[in-house]
């Protein structure tokens, strides 16, 4: 097709399953170097929705050579102001422009009284909120005309009104809405540690047929309470959960997140390739 930009897709090989988050600190490196170890990038949706400048140009240039996933942090799926029509229109426009392989956001809320709180906030695990999540995911998928993935978030408090476990809540939402799960293994571990449940019980309770992407990251231990900071290498217990997950998934894209105290790109890339090594060992 003359004049049409052919964008690469994610070939299902061991190497191509591994990606990293696109961060502005790495723009200078990526302008000068084409990564050869990792094979795809995940970009934060909101960083490119309002920009016609260098950030969007960076993403578009990267998209010529790599598959890209768009990962949102401000949809506020269970928020008071949903749907934010202006946000939705800008989101849809970016999806059309980038043609991402995956579109995702978080199962949480982020706004109250017209103000965005810049955090991924928890909600009660009740049938009422489960029904609300299913209804709103349906609206999003109808609006975008495609499936989305929702991510399980890290939380630092729970509600007395919880009537089911997190994995029971997630499984009900996934089955009824038809969306996919972006399974964040670091968040599973952080929540299990802070709230005192078994991470393996969580993983044994979810719908693995709905898992379409995996996140791994590093947390911070603050005097015995864990925070999902993405500021360290992946911890050993999270790698253990990754090994537990591997027999239950097939050709699922895996992404390393590193969002604070960000090291040079080659360091992030090497950390991500630890997942490739574990994946290769599991298939031998």
């Amino acid at each position: 097709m003359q004049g049409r930009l052919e964008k690469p897709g994610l070939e299902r090989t061991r190497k191509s399953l591994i990606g990293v988050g696109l961060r502005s600190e790495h723009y200078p490196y990526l302008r000068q170097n084409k990564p050869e170890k990792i094979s795809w990038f995940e970009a934060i949706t909101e960083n490119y929705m309002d920009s016609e400048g260098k950030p969007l140009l960076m993403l578009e240039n990267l998209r010529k050579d790599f598959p890209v996933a768009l990962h949102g942090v401000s949809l506020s799926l269970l928020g008071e102001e949903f749907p934010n029509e202006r946000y939705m229109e800008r989101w849809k426009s970016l999806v059309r422009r980038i043609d991402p392989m995956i579109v995702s956001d978080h199962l949480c809320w982020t706004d109250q009284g017209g103000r965005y709180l810049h955090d991924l906030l928890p909600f009660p695990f009740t049938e009422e909120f489960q029904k609300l999540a299913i209804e709103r995911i349906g609206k999003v998928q109808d609006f975008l005309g495609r499936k989305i993935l929702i991510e399980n978030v890290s939380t630092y408090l729970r509600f007395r009104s919880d009537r089911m476990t997190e994995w029971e809540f997630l499984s009900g939402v996934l089955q009824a809405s038809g969306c996919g799960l972006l399974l964040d293994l670091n968040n599973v571990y952080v929540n299990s540690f802070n709230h005192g449940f078994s991470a393996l019980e969580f993983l044994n309770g979810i719908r693995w047929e709905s898992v379409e992407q995996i996140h791994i990251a590093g947390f911070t231990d603050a005097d015995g309470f864990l925070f999902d900071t993405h500021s360290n290498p992946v911890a050993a217990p999270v790698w253990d959960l990754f090994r537990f997950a591997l027999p239950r998934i097939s050709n699922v894209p895996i992404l390393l997140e590193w969002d604070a105290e960000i090291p040079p790109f080659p360091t992030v890339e090497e950390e991500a390739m630890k997942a490739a090594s574990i994946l290769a060992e599991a298939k031998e």
Side-chain angles (χ1 to χ4, degrees):
M1 296 180 184
Q2 188 173 7
R4 176 179 174 180
L5 176 64
E6 294 296 333
K7 297 174 180 175
L10 184 65
E11 290 108 17
R12 302 301 194 182
T13 67
R14 289 178 181 178
K15 174 187 172 186
S16 66
L17 294 174
I18 312 301
V20 300
L22 176 61
R23 303 295 179 258
S24 60
E25 287 82 355
H26 295 150
Y27 287 177
Y29 178 88
L30 294 173
R31 289 191 188 100
Q32 300 296 324
N33 303 275
K34 183 178 178 180
E36 297 182 353
K37 296 179 181 177
I38 59 96
S39 294
W40 65 282
F41 286 87
E42 183 184 81
I44 300 298
T45 305
E46 290 78 4
N47 289 349
Y48 305 93
M49 284 171 55
D50 291 322
S51 171
E52 290 291 336
K54 292 182 179 179
L56 185 57
L57 181 60
M58 181 73 213
L59 180 60
E60 288 185 319
N61 285 336
L62 205 65
R63 183 68 184 94
K64 295 174 184 175
D65 296 322
F66 293 93
V68 167
L70 289 178
H71 184 51
V73 295
S74 299
L75 175 60
S76 195
L77 191 65
L78 297 177
E80 183 183 42
E81 305 295 331
F82 184 92
N84 181 324
E85 293 181 358
R86 183 168 179 269
Y87 177 94
M88 297 281 281
E89 288 290 350
R90 290 181 297 155
W91 186 21
K92 189 173 185 175
S93 177
L94 183 66
V95 168
R96 286 175 171 166
R97 188 164 185 164
I98 298 302
D99 186 22
M101 65 174 187
I102 291 172
V103 175
S104 64
D105 208 296
H106 300 80
L107 190 58
C108 67
W109 61 282
T110 63
D111 68 317
Q112 176 67 35
R115 292 186 177 183
Y116 275 93
L117 305 176
H118 302 291
D119 209 343
L120 307 174
L121 297 167
F123 54 88
F125 297 142
T126 63
E127 291 184 357
E128 179 185 7
F129 270 88
Q130 198 175 50
K131 182 179 179 181
L132 182 66
I134 293 165
E135 175 189 325
R136 289 184 170 183
I137 290 170
K139 288 181 178 178
V140 170
Q141 293 187 144
D142 288 345
F143 180 79
L144 293 180
R146 61 179 293 166
K147 177 192 283 190
I148 65 166
L149 308 189
I150 56 168
E151 179 182 341
N152 56 299
V153 300
S154 55
T155 60
Y156 306 108
L157 59 83
R158 288 309 322 154
F159 295 85
R160 292 191 181 93
S161 55
D162 283 349
R163 293 294 179 267
M164 62 186 83
T165 63
E166 183 179 2
W167 50 96
E168 290 169 339
F169 187 95
L170 279 170
S171 294
V173 170
L174 294 166
Q175 184 170 19
S177 71
C179 75
L181 176 61
L182 196 176
L183 176 61
D184 190 310
L185 293 172
N186 188 58
N187 290 348
V188 172
Y189 182 74
V190 166
N191 287 353
S192 70
F193 187 91
N194 290 339
H195 301 314
F197 62 81
S198 165
L200 294 184
E201 188 176 3
F202 181 112
L203 295 182
N204 279 322
I206 63 171
R207 284 174 54 86
W208 283 97
E209 61 268 39
S210 298
V211 176
E212 299 188 28
Q213 187 186 337
I214 284 181
H215 272 177
I216 51 177
F219 57 76
T220 297
D221 187 339
D223 295 327
F225 197 84
L226 306 187
F227 289 90
D228 178 38
T229 55
H230 301 180
S231 61
N232 291 295
V234 179
V238 178
W239 284 127
D240 289 342
L241 296 183
F242 182 64
R243 291 184 177 89
F244 180 87
L246 288 182
R248 294 159 177 79
I249 58 176
S250 177
N251 295 330
V252 170
I254 298 153
L255 183 102
L256 173 73
E257 294 182 299
W258 204 317
D259 296 311
E261 301 179 29
I262 300 176
F265 186 87
T267 303
V268 175
E269 192 176 40
E270 286 302 317
E271 182 68 10
M273 295 315 293
K274 293 179 183 176
S277 297
I278 294 172
L279 185 62
E281 292 171 5
K283 291 184 175 180
E284 288 177 352

